[in-house]
Amino acid sequence: MTLTTVPAALLAHAAAAQSTQPAPASTVVITGNPLGNERTLLPSAVLSGNGLALRRAATLGETLDGLPGVAATGFGPNASRPVIRGLDGDRVRMLDNGGASVDASSLSFDHAVALDPLVVERLEVLRGPAVLLYGGSATGGVVNAINNRIPRALSPGLAARAELRGGGAASERSGAALLEGAIGPGEGMGGGTGLAWHADAFGRRTEDQRTPTFTPLEDGTPLEPADRVRNSASRSEGGALGASFVGGAGHAGLSAETFRNRYGVTVEPEVTIRMQRERQAFSGGWKPGLAGIEAVAIDAAHTRYRHEEVEGTGEVGTTFESRADDARVELRHAPLAGLRGVFGGQWEQMDFSALGEEAFVPGTQTRSQAAFVLEEYQIPGAVVLSAGLRGERVRVASAGDAADAAEPRFGAPSERRFSPRSISVGARVPLPEGWSLSASWASSQRAPTYYELFANGVHVATAAFERGDAALAAERSRHTELGLAWTSGPHKVEVQWFTTRFANYIAQGATGADMTIPGENPGDPDEVFPEYAFRAVRARLRGFELEAHTRLLTGAPVTLDLSFTLDQVKGDNLDAGEPLPRIAPLRARLSLEASRGGLRGGMVVRHAARQDRVPATDTATPGYTMLDLWAGLALPLPDLPGEGSVFVKAGNVTDRLGYNASSIATMRGLAPLPGRALSAGLRWRW
C-alpha cells in the first residue's frame, strides 16, 4: 500500500546491512522506511537469493513479469521493460543502486534496459506513484536494482560468488562471478575502518528463441509457420570495479562499470542493435553528528550511452548517444514536534543525439532540478500519518535540423520549460487480530520527454512513423489507493485497490493513418509505415492486486507453502471512449513449494485471460495457461570452501502458445512467449 515512498538511496544503504543469506523463493513485501522505524508498510516487492535466481531472465522486464501489478513490454526476448499498473516508459523509474539508470529504453520498445539481471543481488519494486522523491518519471512506480559494486560495509575476509546457467527456450549460456574483500581491521559499519573493494564480470549468449509452432503476422499478413522468433539471438558482457572507505560513521566510495549488448530486432529481420553503456558512480552515507540531522545519503553518477541500429549490409542506419549526469542528496532529520522526515534535492542533465539518415528525433538537452520533503507523524499507539511535497524545474531543448540536412524534419532550434509539482498524503491504521488498513492520495505532474515533444520520422526498429507534439503540456494525474492486510505467522493476505486519473495522459498510439516514404533511389518502391503519434488525452486506470500465502505443512516430513496472486488493470482513453493500448489482462498465479533440508521444489501455474479491451487500432490477445516446474538442491562441497546449490527448471511444460498483450501491435504477432524448455544453473558462494 502506498503510504510513504521510500528513497531508494537510503533503502540501498539499509539493504546492504541485511543478511546475505538466500531468501525464500517467494516474493515478500518488506516493512520499514527511511525514517528509522518499522511503522509504515512499504509498497515494495523484493526478489533476492534463491527467489531471484529462479526468476532471473535475460531482461529485467521478463525477470519481474508476473509479480503483483508488474508486467513487461516484451519487444521480443531481448528488449523487455517493466510495466507497473499499466504504466510504462517514462512513468516507471529505473534505478541502479538508488541512482538514475540512464539508457534509451524509454525512448522505444526495442531499446533494452542497460542492466543485466545476472549481477543484480536484489530487486525492489515500488508500486504506485513515487514521484515525491523521483519525479514524474515514477508515476507508475520504481524498480531499484541493487548490487554491491560500491561496498557499504567491511567484510571479515575474502568473499566470492559465481553462477553458471544454461538451456531455456533461447539456448542460453551465461555466467557471472564476483570477488569482494577489505583492507583494514574493521568488522563492519560499527567496528574499525578500512577499504572495501568489489570486482565482477558476466557474459551471456543466446540463440533465436524457440516457441510453439505459430503463424507469424507481419503488417497483418500471415507468413510461413515458424517455431522460433526470428532474429532474436543476443550476446552481452560486462563488469565492474568498485571500492569504498568504510568507517564507524558511514562510507564513501566509487565504482566504474561497463555493459555491452548486441541483439537482433525481430520486427526487422536484417537489423541488429549494438549497445554500450559506461557508468561511473559515487555513493556516500554517514551520520554527520550535526544537531538536527541523523543521516545523510549522497549518490551521483556519470553515464555515457551509445546505441547503434545496424542494417543487414553492415551500415549503421541510426546512432543514439547520450551523456548524462545525475546527483541526489537525502537528509534524515531528528524528531521535531513528533515529526520524522527526510528532505533533499535532485539534479539531472542529459545531452542526447540521434545521428543518421533514419534518425527520428533531433539532438536534445534535458535539464532538471528538484527539491522534496517527506514527513511522518504517529499518533501514540495508533495511526501513522505521512505527507510530502516535491517541486521541479525542467527544461527540454531541441537542436532542430542540422544546417546541411537533406530532408529537414525538426524545424528550428526550440525549447520548452516546465515546473511540475507533486503532493502526497497517506495514513495507516492498525486493526485488531493482525489486520491493518491503509489509504493514500497523490497529485503529480510529469514534464514531457524529448521524444514525446520532438519525434518526427521513421523508427526502423519498430517499423513505424513516430510523431511527437512540441505543444504538449505537463502530464497531470491524481492517484487514490486503499489497502487491507492481514498477517499471522507464515500466513498473510494483502489486497490493494487503486485508481489513477490523468487530466492529459501523453499516449503513443496508432492514428490509423499510413505514412509513405519515397524510395531511396530512383526506381525504388515507396515504403509505407503506420503512423504512431503522441497525444494528450483524458485517461483513467483502475485495478486491484491480491496476494495470499499460507503454510500447509510445517517440518516433518516436508514444509509445504501455497501462494496465490491475482491482479487486473483497466485503462481507458476517456476522450476517445475506448481502452488504452498495451494493458495486461486479468492475471492469476498459483505456486506450490515443498522443502526438506537442502532439497526444494515446486510448481507454478500462470494464467492470463483474453485481453479484448483494446482500442480500435489494435486486436484482441488470446488468453493462456502455462505450467512451470522447478527443483533446487543445496550441494555439499567437501573439497571447496563455501556452499553450492543447483537448480533445474522446466518452463511452459505443456508447450502452450501465448502472446504478450503489453507488446506493441507490430511486434506481438512475431514474438510469442517462450515454448517448452529445460534450463539449469549452478551457484557457489564463499
Side-chain angles (χ1 to χ4, degrees), residues 102 303-306 320-324 350-353:
V102 177
T303 305
R304 298 182 64 179
Y305 175 88
R306 184 180 179 90
F320 301 95
E321 290 186 342
S322 66
R323 292 191 179 188
M350 183 176 68
D351 295 336
F352 174 86
S353 65

Side-chain angles (χ1 to χ4, degrees), residues 67-116:
L67 292 181
V70 184
T73 53
F75 196 92
N78 298 309
S80 180
R81 204 174 194 271
V83 180
I84 301 180
R85 294 179 170 179
L87 299 174
D88 57 15
D90 267 286
R91 299 182 188 91
V92 175
R93 181 74 165 184
M94 309 300 299
L95 299 178
D96 190 336
N97 288 302
S101 176
V102 177
D103 53 34
S105 63
S106 62
L107 170 64
S108 178
F109 297 103
D110 68 296
H111 296 188
V113 176
L115 287 170
D116 196 301

Side-chain angles (χ1 to χ4, degrees), residues 345-361:
Q346 181 176 334
W347 171 79
E348 296 183 5
Q349 68 173 28
M350 183 176 68
D351 295 336
F352 174 86
S353 65
L355 308 174
E357 295 181 357
E358 297 165 349
F360 66 100
V361 286

Side-chain angles (χ1 to χ4, degrees), residues 353-549:
S353 65
L355 308 174
E357 295 181 357
E358 297 165 349
F360 66 100
V361 286
T364 60
Q365 288 185 338
T366 302
R367 304 287 186 267
S368 67
Q369 304 86 38
F372 54 82
V373 61
L374 179 66
E375 297 291 336
E376 180 182 278
Y377 178 78
Q378 183 177 25
I379 299 174
V383 180
V384 177
L385 304 175
S386 66
L389 296 169
R390 179 186 175 96
E392 299 180 62
R393 300 184 71 88
V394 181
R395 181 175 69 89
V396 187
S398 165
D401 287 305
D404 58 350
E407 298 180 7
R409 290 197 305 272
F410 307 118
S414 62
E415 71 173 43
R416 293 290 311 280
R417 293 178 181 267
F418 306 90
S419 298
R421 301 288 185 268
S422 300
I423 183 173
S424 176
V425 295
R428 179 179 184 270
V429 182
L431 301 174
E433 300 183 1
W435 289 90
S436 64
L437 180 68
S438 51
S440 66
W441 177 88
S443 174
S444 65
Q445 298 179 353
R446 179 181 72 89
T449 63
Y450 61 95
Y451 56 88
E452 291 171 331
L453 293 169
F454 302 121
N456 188 37
V458 175
H459 189 185
V460 174
T462 60
F465 190 99
E466 300 185 10
R467 190 187 300 279
D469 182 354
L472 288 171
E475 186 177 79
R476 306 188 308 278
S477 63
R478 292 186 177 182
H479 176 91
T480 304
E481 184 162 350
L482 181 66
L484 185 65
W486 171 78
T487 302
S488 177
H491 313 290
K492 72 171 186 178
V493 177
E494 296 180 5
V495 61
Q496 287 85 33
W497 297 270
F498 60 89
T499 298
T500 302
R501 286 181 172 270
F502 289 86
N504 54 334
Y505 179 82
I506 302 175
Q508 184 190 39
T511 65
D514 291 328
M515 298 296 295
T516 301
I517 307 300
E520 184 175 348
N521 301 307
D524 288 348
D526 294 342
E527 294 185 90
V528 179
F529 296 91
E531 182 185 56
Y532 281 73
F534 290 98
R535 296 171 172 172
V537 301
R538 293 182 304 116
R540 178 185 62 202
L541 290 101
R542 62 193 190 279
F544 70 91
E545 297 152 358
L546 170 67
E547 301 176 70
H549 177 87

Side-chain angles (χ1 to χ4, degrees), residues 620-636:
T621 302
Y624 61 82
T625 301
M626 295 184 181
L627 171 67
D628 302 330
L629 302 175
W630 64 273
L633 176 66
L635 296 177

Side-chain angles (χ1 to χ4, degrees), residues 163-374:
E163 182 170 344
L164 295 174
R165 306 173 69 91
S171 301
E172 175 184 345
R173 292 91 66 202
S174 63
L178 68 84
L179 286 172
E180 295 176 338
I183 303 173
E187 294 295 332
M189 295 291 287
T193 62
L195 182 71
W197 58 270
H198 169 103
D200 70 59
F202 65 91
R204 186 194 307 272
R205 304 287 186 275
T206 68
E207 307 297 335
D208 287 349
Q209 179 178 279
R210 296 190 305 276
T211 70
T213 301
F214 73 107
T215 301
L217 293 175
E218 186 172 44
D219 298 329
T221 302
L223 305 179
E224 291 295 322
D227 60 3
R228 289 182 181 268
V229 177
R230 70 184 189 188
N231 195 26
S232 61
S234 69
R235 182 178 76 244
S236 64
E237 58 273 331
L241 295 172
S244 62
F245 177 81
V246 179
H251 81 280
L254 299 169
S255 68
E257 62 185 75
T258 182
F259 177 62
R260 300 179 183 223
N261 193 3
R262 182 185 178 100
Y263 58 93
V265 177
T266 298
V267 75
E268 289 286 339
E270 302 300 323
V271 174
T272 300
I273 287 178
R274 291 195 303 237
M275 184 185 74
Q276 179 176 349
R277 189 184 77 156
E278 311 289 340
R279 185 174 187 263
Q280 298 83 44
F282 167 83
S283 175
W286 63 91
K287 298 178 180 179
L290 299 175
I293 302 297
E294 291 186 341
V296 177
I298 299 177
D299 289 276
H302 171 73
T303 305
R304 298 182 64 179
Y305 175 88
R306 184 180 179 90
H307 169 119
E308 297 176 330
E309 297 184 353
V310 185
E311 307 284 355
T313 60
E315 298 180 37
V316 177
T318 309
T319 298
F320 301 95
E321 290 186 342
S322 66
R323 292 191 179 188
D325 298 284
D326 67 274
R328 61 184 293 115
V329 179
E330 297 169 354
L331 301 97
R332 187 176 73 216
H333 68 73
L336 178 65
L339 292 173
R340 298 179 62 87
V342 293
F343 62 95
Q346 181 176 334
W347 171 79
E348 296 183 5
Q349 68 173 28
M350 183 176 68
D351 295 336
F352 174 86
S353 65
L355 308 174
E357 295 181 357
E358 297 165 349
F360 66 100
V361 286
T364 60
Q365 288 185 338
T366 302
R367 304 287 186 267
S368 67
Q369 304 86 38
F372 54 82
V373 61
L374 179 66

Side-chain angles (χ1 to χ4, degrees), residues 58-73:
T59 65
L60 198 60
E62 186 180 354
T63 299
L64 297 174
D65 187 20
L67 292 181
V70 184
T73 53

Side-chain angles (χ1 to χ4, degrees), residues 2-89:
T2 303
L3 292 179
T4 305
T5 306
V6 186
L10 291 180
L11 194 57
H13 294 290
Q18 297 180 1
S19 169
T20 58
Q21 295 301 312
S26 60
T27 302
V28 297
V29 176
I30 62 172
T31 59
N33 64 34
L35 307 182
N37 56 56
E38 295 186 354
R39 298 183 306 208
T40 304
L41 182 66
L42 302 181
S44 298
V46 177
L47 286 176
S48 62
N50 291 328
L52 177 58
L54 286 170
R55 296 186 66 108
R56 208 187 307 267
T59 65
L60 198 60
E62 186 180 354
T63 299
L64 297 174
D65 187 20
L67 292 181
V70 184
T73 53
F75 196 92
N78 298 309
S80 180
R81 204 174 194 271
V83 180
I84 301 180
R85 294 179 170 179
L87 299 174
D88 57 15

